[in-house]
Amino acid sequence: MAETAKLLGTKGSPYSHRAEVALRLKEANFEFLHEDLAHKSDMLLRYNPIHKKIPVLVHGEKSIVESLIVVEYVDEAFDGYAILPSDPYERAMARFWARYIDEKVIPAFWMSCWTDGEMQKGFIAQAKETLTTLEGQLKGKKFFGGDSIGFVDLAAGMVAFWFGILQEVAGINLLNEEDYPVLCRWADDYCSIEPVKESLLDRKLLVAHFASKKEKIFATKAPVYD
Amino acid sequence: MASEKGIKLLDFWVSPFGQRARIALAEKGVEYEHKEENLLAEKSELLLKSNPVHKKIPVLIHDGKPVCESLIIVQYIDEVWPDKAPLLPSDPYQRAQARFWADFVDKKVFECGGRLWKLKGEEQEAAKKEMIEILQILEAQLGDKKYFGGDTFGFVDVAFVPLTSWFYSCETCANFSVEAVAPKIVLWVQRCMERESVAKTLSDPKKVYEYVRFLKKRFRIE
């Protein structure tokens, strides 16, 4: 489809980031439409009536939602860079680890940042375990996808860029080079990739953003990405 | 394990997630060894070795290589045996839609259903309200189509139909009627049951209810 795609998202969101990097890897023609999540646009509500969340990819008159579903769609609808492997078993593995990141790695880390006392200790223990398991998947590879970034690397974008920022704002030190040398090396390499760099906000801006929302997030535990 | 040829499915009789894999394998006419895990006792060595991260069923072991997570297993089956009974459409947008609705079923139906039979009072009422909304959304999505994907039985049907065996338990525990809220879904279940793959796989709703009652006793004891 030659038509320009529209990506509704925010630069502060790691989920929006996944979709944006996928489009950039494909060198697709797209327009980034910034959503103000406090005042959701008519377009967002029309194209994602069920979840009302970003990212939303609008391609032609069709909309695709849920970040990992958007990435798979971009991989299949656009030519060029292969984001998922072609072998069915490798694809199953990629989907498994992306899901692990969403269901285990991210929630444990997030809750480690925004809880205290005994609860926090519990979440930190969980987060350490999930980071160790994730790091194990790099086993001698440059990226989760092998020599170049793939589906799991995009899914783990939050780990690469957002985790360091969140822990700084929260005042904890979970993801560090001493404990996770391989994962930290991967994070640097991932963030240096051109299409990734182009989609990331300035780190200082993101730190300031989360710092300003710290109390609210601590109270509600809900993410505030814009 | 790596050198073993063939297909094994680690399963638990009442698990709707295991049933997704079984329906997919049956649709494709694939022969496999079915291994029943007793989840109420100790998990087997094979299960712990094949799914060290989650230690859950279903696990599909294909020539010694394990695949975990039911919807990932179904997509794997569809990709390895693409020629018979394709479960996902070929068009990327239709595939995205199928994935979206399977994901919606995954995130909403089982979890809310669980709350319906585990909780009481206000919490149960809240879960009931939510479940009715979820069913109405799915009813609207099905519309007048034969299956969720259209004329052919597909990914969303495989994802959702095993969960429908639990409707009777939810209705009985929470006192409501799925048919009153979502009559098209009920008819869709009947159409799916005309397929051998589904009829031979789904648990009898009354047996599921017996299992639910057993679990309720167990939770209260604990």
Side-chain angles (χ1 to χ4, degrees):
Chain A
M1 210 182 288
E3 232 186 281
T4 302
K6 293 183 174 60
L7 179 65
L8 280 71
T10 75
K11 286 293 194 182
S13 161
Y15 302 98
S16 178
H17 166 82
R18 292 169 173 175
E20 191 183 341
V21 176
L23 288 162
R24 289 189 184 279
L25 285 169
K26 294 286 189 181
E27 294 178 3
N29 268 336
F30 75 100
E31 198 187 331
F32 193 106
L33 299 175
H34 291 263
E35 273 291 320
D36 172 2
L37 296 179
H39 306 96
K40 292 179 179 177
S41 71
D42 285 340
M43 198 177 180
L44 172 60
L45 298 175
R46 184 166 87 234
Y47 285 116
N48 192 1
I50 294 197
H51 298 306
K52 304 178 175 60
K53 287 178 172 178
I54 54 96
V56 179
L57 180 69
V58 182
H59 198 199
E61 265 306 297
K62 301 169 177 169
S63 67
I64 302 99
V65 305
E66 297 293 287
S67 62
L68 294 179
I69 294 176
V70 174
V71 174
E72 286 217 48
Y73 171 79
V74 168
D75 199 34
E76 291 170 4
F78 293 86
D79 291 328
Y81 195 97
I83 299 173
L84 271 124
S86 50
D87 172 68
Y89 183 74
E90 295 304 321
R91 292 161 72 83
M93 290 298 102
R95 289 176 180 135
F96 177 88
W97 289 107
R99 198 178 159 123
Y100 180 77
I101 288 163
D102 263 357
E103 293 186 354
K104 303 284 180 189
V105 179
I106 291 174
F109 195 93
W110 180 263
M111 292 304 275
S112 296
C113 290
W114 313 117
T115 51
D116 53 16
E118 283 307 307
M119 256 186 106
Q120 186 184 40
K121 285 199 188 123
F123 284 121
I124 287 177
Q126 266 181 51
K128 284 186 168 163
E129 211 186 295
T130 61
L131 286 170
T132 301
T133 302
L134 185 63
E135 189 178 54
Q137 283 310 297
L138 279 166
K139 40 185 180 217
K141 296 185 291 190
K142 185 169 188 197
F143 298 108
F144 291 101
D147 294 327
S148 48
I149 62 171
F151 193 61
V152 182
D153 300 277
L154 267 63
M158 188 172 181
V159 179
F161 192 68
W162 276 260
F163 274 20
I165 291 167
L166 293 172
Q167 68 181 14
E168 186 181 314
V169 173
I172 61 171
N173 180 18
L174 258 180
L175 181 60
N176 56 65
E177 267 180 52
E178 199 189 319
D179 296 330
Y180 302 100
V182 177
L183 200 52
C184 287
R185 188 272 310 148
W186 162 83
D188 285 339
D189 287 342
Y190 174 77
C191 292
S192 315
I193 301 278
E194 229 17 76
V196 173
K197 255 195 333 209
E198 284 166 13
S199 76
L200 291 174
L201 253 186
D202 183 84
R203 195 183 188 275
K204 284 201 280 293
L205 283 176
L206 214 46
V207 171
H209 165 74
F210 281 108
S212 73
K213 306 267 193 231
K214 188 174 172 180
E215 258 177 62
K216 186 177 178 186
I217 300 174
F218 207 95
T220 64
K221 314 290 183 250
V224 187
Y225 287 128
D226 64 338
Chain B
M1 191 167 83
S3 54
E4 226 185 275
K5 284 274 170 207
I7 301 156
K8 220 180 265 198
L9 180 71
L10 307 184
D11 190 17
F12 181 57
W13 72 276
V14 75
S15 163
F17 307 103
Q19 287 168 8
R20 288 169 170 175
R22 286 165 57 194
I23 291 171
L25 287 164
E27 285 284 320
K28 303 285 185 177
V30 172
E31 294 217 350
Y32 65 99
E33 183 195 330
H34 182 259
K35 189 177 180 299
E36 180 74 8
E37 286 284 325
N38 183 4
L39 297 184
L40 302 170
E42 256 183 60
K43 291 178 178 176
S44 75
E45 275 279 330
L46 183 59
L47 173 56
L48 297 175
K49 198 164 71 174
S50 316
N51 191 358
V53 175
H54 300 302
K55 306 176 177 55
K56 285 181 174 181
I57 58 93
V59 182
L60 183 79
I61 306 174
H62 188 192
D63 293 343
K65 297 200 287 195
V67 182
C68 309
E69 300 291 289
S70 63
L71 293 182
I72 293 176
I73 292 171
V74 173
Q75 287 188 87
Y76 174 80
I77 291 167
D78 200 40
E79 290 173 13
V80 172
W81 293 278
D83 299 325
K84 188 171 181 205
L87 296 171
L88 274 139
S90 49
D91 170 68
Y93 176 68
Q94 298 302 333
R95 292 160 73 80
Q97 286 297 92
R99 287 178 180 130
F100 174 86
W101 287 105
D103 178 66
F104 179 85
V105 166
D106 234 17
K107 286 197 172 98
K108 303 281 188 182
V109 180
F110 193 70
E111 189 274 334
C112 189
R115 276 186 282 138
L116 269 179
W117 60 259
K118 282 179 196 164
L119 305 173
K120 288 241 164 277
E122 261 179 52
E123 283 180 309
Q124 189 185 52
E125 278 306 303
K128 185 158 85 177
K129 191 160 170 267
E130 224 181 286
M131 183 56 111
I132 289 172
E133 268 171 43
I134 291 166
L135 288 170
Q136 285 171 334
I137 290 172
L138 287 164
E139 173 100 343
Q141 182 55 27
L142 176 66
D144 294 317
K145 301 195 297 272
K146 186 175 181 189
Y147 299 113
F148 278 90
D151 292 327
T152 46
F153 184 76
F155 191 57
V156 183
D157 305 285
V158 175
F160 188 20
V161 83
L163 296 171
T164 65
S165 303
W166 295 67
F167 281 170
Y168 177 72
S169 302
C170 295
E171 288 171 317
T172 310
C173 294
N175 189 29
F176 82 109
S177 157
V178 172
E179 185 156 16
V181 171
K184 290 180 177 166
I185 298 266
V186 171
L187 290 171
W188 161 78
V189 174
Q190 287 167 15
R191 283 196 293 277
C192 290
M193 286 296 278
E194 288 167 16
R195 302 183 78 80
E196 204 179 323
S197 64
V198 178
K200 287 201 164 157
T201 301
L202 256 51
S203 300
D204 180 329
K206 299 268 162 74
K207 291 221 161 74
V208 173
Y209 183 57
E210 267 172 45
Y211 178 73
V212 163
R213 288 181 64 204
F214 161 77
L215 285 182
K216 279 160 76 102
K217 284 202 193 105
R218 210 183 194 210
F219 280 133
R220 286 201 191 118
I221 288 168
E222 283 170 8

